[in-house]
Amino acid sequence: MASSILSDCSSARLLPLRRALLPPRAPRLRPCPALAHPRRLLVAARPQLLPRPRRMDSPPAATASSADSATVSADAPAKVIDGKLVAKQVREEIAVEVTRMKDAIGIVPGLAVILVGSRKDSQTYVRNKKKACEAVGIKSYEVNLPEDSSEEEVIKHIASFNSDPSVHGILVQLPLPRHMNDENILNAVSIEKDVDGFHPLNIGRLAMQGRDPFFVPCTPKGCMELLHRFGVEIKGKRAVVIGRSNIVGMPAALLLQKANATVSIVHSQTKNPEEITRQADIVIAAVGVANLVRGNWIKPGAAIIDVGINPVDDPESPRGYRLVGDVCYEEASKVAGAITPVPGGVGPMTIAMLLSNTLESAKRTHKFK
Ligand code: NAP
């Protein structure tokens, strides 16, 4: 599978756009230095074919030799961690399990999605989740409420799904209208059906030694799945998570710690982010600032998971913009051992992990191994 990635951290301009589409980020793009480079063809490996990655401290060129197992590029040795491919593989595995469960005990996993208001981006996300459910055989239930609904109405629907045995996962599409208190609403979801993993009890269990949450938030879970499936060793490694949000950065740091990495968190008040990040064998960037992480922030051979999705001006694109990550791919891919592209890295994993959480929930409820 081949994908071409244009590298131009220097030329793009952050769009003011899409508070509606994506979270708003830094006012403008930090330019990368001029990089003279040809357009490059990057060939991502099939995850199951990848050899164990080279030691994180070995030079990046060491294992970038095979088209089967590594990114092929004239000047960028990093392996491409192809999230699209892994997500497809995960969805196929889920479909097999859903069928096996249905055949064995007659149970079909069910996911309920509650959407309040008529934001176009939220409608698109909900539609995509529904389609993804259908594709793997998970039954989806949808409630659409008007923008001016009360918190009580939303909670009433949550309560009804909480007690519905055909529903194994409940998701409240965020953001909610301003007049609603997210906390009250998310707290109303039964922790045993909290497939988003945002309930404080699930996060609390994730943070505690010797406890396990019912669910792990989907995006950080997707990051970990990518690291695992690409054979990136975590135990004993130094990891840096850039960003500490409740939905990505903080749970990602907890997961890395649970997997026995030594974890540092970089945030907007961190004094020396480059220096701290440069010590990391594994970097997860979840900031929302286009190309914040430059090549000189990266330790040679490190594995880089870029969660950021940032729209930047692109007159050549039919949409007038394109999406870039928090990591300057052009620079980082020359130093890193492995890196996720944007788009096509973490993004596709998030829905795949939602399906995985829903299946897991149904299996747990019905004690199906
Ligand atoms: P968020 O809630 O805005 O959190 C951003 C975090 O980055 C905060 O912790 C903030 O620090 C930190 N930060 C901001 N500027 C920084 C800087 N200059 N240096 C270091 N840290 C800085 O964002 P989020 O919801 O976590 O999302 C982060 C990115 O991931 C966004 O681009 C979003 O679109 C993307 N995302 C992608 C997926 C996916 O499925 N691929 C899912 C969710 C999010 P403070 O805490 O100090 O403010």
Side-chain angles (χ1 to χ4, degrees):
M1 177 183 199
S3 61
S4 67
I5 296 176
L6 268 178
S7 50
D8 54 357
C9 301
S10 54
S11 63
R13 193 169 63 78
L14 243 195
L15 286 181
L17 93 140
R18 293 164 235 279
R19 173 143 190 106
L21 237 182
L22 294 156
R25 303 300 160 207
R28 60 191 196 84
L29 183 67
R30 292 159 50 101
C32 291
L35 294 161
H37 51 74
R39 187 174 179 150
R40 296 168 308 142
L41 179 67
L42 303 173
V43 181
R46 289 193 152 268
Q48 70 272 29
L49 296 180
L50 279 174
R52 284 193 71 71
R54 64 178 172 271
R55 283 182 39 210
M56 289 300 176
D57 53 358
S58 65
T63 58
S65 54
S66 148
D68 268 343
S69 63
T71 298
V72 175
S73 165
D75 56 1
K79 290 174 191 163
V80 177
I81 300 180
D82 185 340
K84 219 167 147 184
L85 190 68
V86 177
K88 181 170 175 281
Q89 198 174 46
V90 170
R91 288 197 308 269
E92 285 166 2
E93 291 163 11
I94 291 170
V96 169
E97 283 299 282
V98 168
T99 306
R100 189 171 72 84
M101 186 160 151
K102 188 177 170 193
D103 291 347
I105 59 171
I107 297 292
V108 175
L111 173 68
V113 181
I114 299 175
L115 173 64
V116 190
S118 51
R119 284 176 61 124
K120 291 272 172 284
D121 57 333
S122 293
Q123 287 171 342
T124 305
Y125 295 142
V126 168
R127 204 168 40 246
N128 289 344
K129 285 167 187 170
K130 207 172 159 186
K131 271 199 330 219
C133 282
E134 278 162 17
V136 298
I138 290 177
K139 189 158 172 40
S140 63
Y141 304 83
E142 197 182 328
V143 168
N144 291 296
L145 297 172
E147 179 86 20
D148 59 358
S149 306
S150 66
E151 239 176 73
E152 290 68 33
E153 280 172 272
V154 181
I155 290 174
K156 199 179 81 195
H157 284 282
I158 293 174
S160 142
F161 285 133
N162 278 342
S163 56
D164 182 342
S166 61
V167 171
H168 304 95
I170 303 170
L171 180 154
V172 181
Q173 185 64 42
L174 299 177
L176 286 161
R178 282 177 189 278
H179 66 277
M180 289 188 183
N181 179 325
D182 289 16
E183 201 178 327
N184 291 345
I185 289 177
L186 296 181
N187 286 359
V189 176
S190 151
I191 59 164
E192 292 172 16
K193 297 190 179 186
D194 171 39
V195 281
D196 254 344
F198 294 159
H199 195 291
L201 286 177
N202 272 324
I203 293 287
R205 283 169 177 240
L206 181 63
M208 289 173 80
Q209 298 265 350
R211 304 279 177 90
D212 285 315
F214 284 98
F215 303 99
V216 170
C218 300
T219 302
K221 182 174 175 175
C223 297
M224 297 302 286
E225 192 69 27
L226 288 174
L227 292 171
H228 290 313
R229 293 209 182 209
F230 276 82
V232 175
E233 202 178 323
I234 300 174
K235 185 177 165 184
K237 297 295 175 184
R238 296 203 68 150
V240 165
V241 179
I242 313 178
R244 55 176 167 179
S245 70
N246 286 342
I247 63 168
V248 192
M250 180 266 291
L254 293 173
L255 283 168
L256 285 164
Q257 185 177 257
K258 254 197 174 6
N260 294 315
T262 302
V263 185
S264 302
I265 298 175
V266 166
H267 49 74
S268 67
Q269 307 305 308
T270 302
K271 292 274 183 267
N272 48 353
E274 301 90 336
E275 199 182 299
I276 294 170
T277 308
R278 223 171 6 246
Q279 294 171 17
D281 302 304
I282 298 165
V283 177
I284 297 184
V287 190
V289 177
N291 299 322
L292 174 78
V293 179
R294 308 290 288 270
N296 62 0
W297 291 37
I298 309 284
K299 177 177 175 179
I304 313 294
I305 305 290
D306 188 353
V307 182
I309 305 176
N310 308 292
V312 293
D313 253 346
D314 184 0
E316 283 176 26
S317 154
R319 297 179 296 184
Y321 72 95
R322 69 196 159 82
L323 301 175
V324 301
D326 292 337
V327 178
C328 177
Y329 188 93
E330 169 61 19
E331 294 180 352
S333 61
K334 289 178 179 161
V335 186
I339 185 167
T340 56
V342 176
V346 176
M349 292 300 289
T350 299
I351 290 190
M353 293 301 106
L354 175 67
L355 303 175
S356 155
N357 279 353
T358 306
L359 171 66
E360 200 180 300
S361 177
K363 282 185 165 181
R364 186 165 41 229
T365 304
H366 298 281
K367 299 187 173 48
F368 183 73
K369 298 278 177 218

